[in-house]
Amino acid sequence: MNASEILTACCKDSLLLSTFALRHETEQNGISEAVIRNRFDRMLTVMETSAAEARQNPVRSVSGLTGGDAFLYEQYRSASLLGETVSLAVACALSCSEINASMGKIVACPTAGSCGIVPAAVLAVSSSKGLDREKQINALLCAGLVGQIIGEHACLAGAQGGCQAECGSASAMAAAAVVELLGGSPEQSFDAAAIAIKNSLGLVCDPVAGLVEIPCIKRNVGGVVNALSAADLALAGIHSRIPFDDTVDALNRVGRQLPTSLRETAMGGLATTAAGIQLAEQIKQ
Amino acid sequence: MPVPSLFDIMGPIMIGPSSSHTAGAARLGKMAYKLAGGDIRRVVMYLHGSFAATYRGHGTDKALLAGLLNLNPSDERLRDSFQIAAEKGISYEFIPTDLGENVHPNTVRFVITDSRGETFEIMGSSIGGGQVVVSEIDGMEVNFTGERPIIITAHQDTPGVLSHITTLLFERDINIGDMRVTRSREDKSAHMYIELDSLCGQDLTAAIRCIPGITRVKLLLPIEESDVPGKENP
């Protein structure tokens, strides 16, 4: 299954990507649309909580290396450069990621390390535009569909494809979701997803001390801002000159070309900087 | 990779920070709990590879123990598992070690002691995205992923035991997916591992227990985690 085939099917029957995703899942796995919606509804509830919790009360990670930033940012947010929607998305992404690092409850989407991007984009845009729950669930279905294509033709794990496979994929999923949320076409969703991947290609997975904290938490912020700007371009009618399926192919090839040291092993990049090594030593004690 | 399901991408709902080091660890702990029949007084966990290197920061230790307390990977009490174990009088220990060259980097060996003082060993790995596999039960090589029911027996190494069991399965119209038999020549004891294609009831284990030569039977049903959207039954 690729974007080009999905677009043909959507165009033929005037389907939204979320409708296609629902029908496809029902056909493949025999789960009724009502059950799928119900499960997504539960995921949305967990997302809402994790996107809010660390903004309201500071949390610390298990290692003690990170925490408190979602709270700090929320205090500052009214003065943010970014405006209400984007600053809210940044705050939500920080919150989900900090909740994850503190052994709180999150929805892996597609992974735990990138769990802040899709919820932050969908919740922030819905909040500022006053969109209902059904639309939010549709957006999550659309995000899932984009992730399915990436999972089939590339990969979604940092250990396999670097951070581009985790935060890059999440960013593409979020970008497509926001386009559908705001009434854009399936084609525009894939344009947005393509742009988001193009802006994430080559991103390495280099976690300090091998933990899902530094730089993962802030990469979720980068991921959601990337997603929102990609969605904005697509909604303006700007096309990606490289189609989505080709960007997935590039992501796959770049992932394979990344050395092991930059694929979640903590043997390169930020993990082996002077500060990274020092932080890793610090938590051993 | 084949086309993943929507629920492979979105979800599971889990306790962070890592699907392999936390959610997978909790799932392995829960499998060990089920295999031990829920009767655990003490457990020593030997951690290998990345589990050994990062278990504190990923909460792998808390998650493994939480699973052994029968908590799901999405249960927020995961982070309080040390305290819950202490309240239940279950003692535990984590020992970083090297389980060998060809062992998956996220592997744990549980040595469980029950209330009768019997010990039970299980080795399993977290193989990515929260998926797990149990590779060894009491020294017997297995490949148990928690998706299908399995039966494990200890029996005397005498003719007829296997045919007795397969007859019982045939009578219930249950197909065998995988089957292994190992034995120790010294004490004429043998172990058997049978993976079933369909569900069976406790009456089957009762019937197996009656077969002459059988000394122990364990039935392990698929691991259900109703709080995990991607994992529940439709």
Side-chain angles (χ1 to χ4, degrees):
Chain A
M1 173 170 82
N2 62 29
S4 152
E5 291 161 11
I6 293 171
L7 282 175
T8 308
C10 286
C11 183
K12 187 168 149 270
D13 298 328
S14 330
L15 299 178
L16 293 172
L17 291 180
S18 55
T19 317
F20 181 92
L22 268 178
R23 288 192 187 173
H24 183 261
E25 185 69 17
T26 300
E27 280 166 23
Q28 294 296 306
N29 297 315
I31 310 172
S32 76
E33 294 192 3
V35 169
I36 297 170
R37 281 197 167 277
N38 186 25
R39 288 197 204 170
F40 270 74
D41 190 88
R42 279 160 54 194
M43 286 189 223
L44 182 57
T45 303
V46 174
M47 288 175 174
E48 286 169 334
T49 309
S50 59
E53 265 184 327
R55 290 192 275 138
Q56 290 150 1
N57 297 298
V59 297
R60 295 298 301 178
S61 67
V62 184
S63 71
L65 284 182
T66 58
D69 291 347
F71 183 76
L72 196 63
Y73 187 76
E74 187 63 28
Q75 305 301 304
Y76 154 87
R77 204 159 68 77
S78 57
S80 167
L81 299 170
L82 301 176
E84 170 58 22
T85 310
V86 183
S87 73
L88 179 58
V90 166
C92 291
L94 282 174
S95 179
C96 291
S97 299
E98 286 191 345
I99 290 296
N100 181 54
S102 72
M103 289 192 89
K105 193 188 282 196
I106 55 98
V107 181
C109 56
T111 60
S114 60
C115 71
I117 296 171
V118 170
V122 171
L123 294 171
V125 170
S126 304
S127 161
S128 66
K129 301 282 181 188
L131 303 174
D132 67 24
R133 202 168 177 87
E134 195 185 341
K135 282 215 169 71
Q136 294 173 43
I137 289 170
N138 285 347
L140 296 180
L141 288 163
C142 174
L145 180 68
V146 170
Q148 282 177 284
I149 302 170
I150 303 173
E152 183 184 347
H153 299 285
C155 63
L156 300 158
Q160 269 181 288
C163 191
Q164 54 160 12
E166 295 205 22
C167 286
S169 299
S171 200
M173 290 158 61
V178 166
V179 169
E180 174 158 331
L181 199 53
L182 295 174
S185 67
E187 194 185 4
Q188 285 174 312
S189 274
F190 281 121
D191 273 321
I195 294 166
I197 287 186
K198 291 195 291 187
N199 291 346
S200 318
L201 274 189
L203 196 59
V204 301
C205 180
D206 50 355
V208 168
L211 301 179
V212 193
E213 296 189 50
I214 305 168
C216 320
I217 293 171
K218 293 186 184 99
R219 287 223 178 119
N220 274 260
V221 172
V224 75
V225 174
N226 178 32
L228 293 174
S229 60
D232 222 27
L233 294 191
L235 287 164
I238 297 171
H239 293 293
S240 173
R241 299 295 192 268
I242 311 289
F244 176 74
D245 290 327
D246 285 0
T247 65
V248 174
D249 173 53
L251 186 143
N252 187 36
R253 283 185 289 108
V254 170
R256 288 171 192 277
Q257 284 163 352
L258 286 178
T260 311
S261 60
L262 299 176
R263 286 188 278 126
E264 213 182 301
T265 52
M267 295 193 307
L270 297 171
T272 50
T273 55
I277 292 166
Q278 200 191 341
L279 288 165
E281 287 298 321
Q282 183 186 317
I283 57 165
K284 267 191 197 157
Q285 287 154 18
Chain B
M1 146 172 195
V3 186
S5 142
L6 260 183
F7 296 101
D8 291 330
I9 307 298
M10 300 297 289
I13 292 173
M14 57 170 269
I15 301 301
S18 160
S19 55
S20 51
H21 290 74
T22 320
R27 197 164 284 143
L28 279 171
K30 186 159 180 164
M31 282 165 115
Y33 168 86
K34 297 270 181 185
L35 285 162
D39 178 14
I40 300 172
R41 299 323 307 165
R42 173 168 170 74
V43 56
V44 182
M45 286 158 272
Y46 295 91
L47 307 170
H48 170 84
S50 175
F51 267 17
T54 64
Y55 72 97
R56 282 205 187 92
H58 276 132
T60 307
D61 46 2
K62 291 174 177 162
L64 287 167
L65 190 62
L68 288 162
L69 297 165
N70 199 24
L71 300 181
N72 285 334
S74 61
D75 195 314
E76 279 173 297
R77 290 171 294 174
L78 228 71
R79 63 179 111 173
D80 305 320
S81 65
F82 288 0
Q83 197 192 329
I84 299 170
E87 283 163 12
K88 294 193 172 183
I90 296 170
S91 68
Y92 55 89
E93 194 177 347
F94 300 94
I95 303 176
T97 188
D98 184 349
L99 294 172
E101 229 172 73
N102 296 320
V103 175
H104 188 280
N106 294 332
T107 297
V108 54
R109 179 191 289 279
F110 301 93
V111 179
I112 294 169
T113 309
D114 68 14
S115 56
R116 289 167 301 175
E118 282 187 39
T119 63
F120 193 56
E121 283 194 34
I122 296 153
M123 187 159 95
S125 309
S126 181
I127 56 175
Q131 302 299 308
V132 298
V133 60
V134 170
S135 53
E136 220 179 281
I137 300 172
D138 268 346
M140 179 168 27
E141 259 185 54
V142 299
N143 183 27
F144 178 58
T145 58
E147 280 154 18
R148 275 195 282 271
I150 60 166
I151 293 172
I152 301 164
T153 69
H155 56 270
Q156 288 160 17
D157 190 17
T158 49
V161 176
L162 263 73
S163 75
H164 253 109
I165 295 177
T166 51
T167 305
L168 288 172
L169 291 170
F170 172 70
E171 284 166 5
R172 286 163 177 77
D173 198 23
I174 294 172
N175 193 40
I176 295 173
D178 190 12
M179 183 167 177
R180 289 168 211 201
V181 185
T182 54
R183 63 179 173 185
S184 144
R185 288 192 185 276
E186 294 108 59
D187 60 354
K188 291 232 124 227
S189 72
H191 288 271
M192 179 163 33
Y193 161 87
I194 310 169
E195 189 181 291
L196 308 175
D197 279 357
S198 48
L199 287 175
C200 62
Q202 292 291 347
D203 68 303
L204 178 66
T205 41
I208 292 175
R209 204 167 281 127
C210 295
I211 297 171
I214 291 280
T215 51
R216 200 165 57 156
V217 186
K218 275 184 203 295
L219 166 66
L220 191 61
L221 295 171
I223 308 289
E224 279 174 29
E225 292 160 7
S226 56
D227 285 335
V228 183
K231 290 276 146 196
E232 70 193 352
N233 296 321

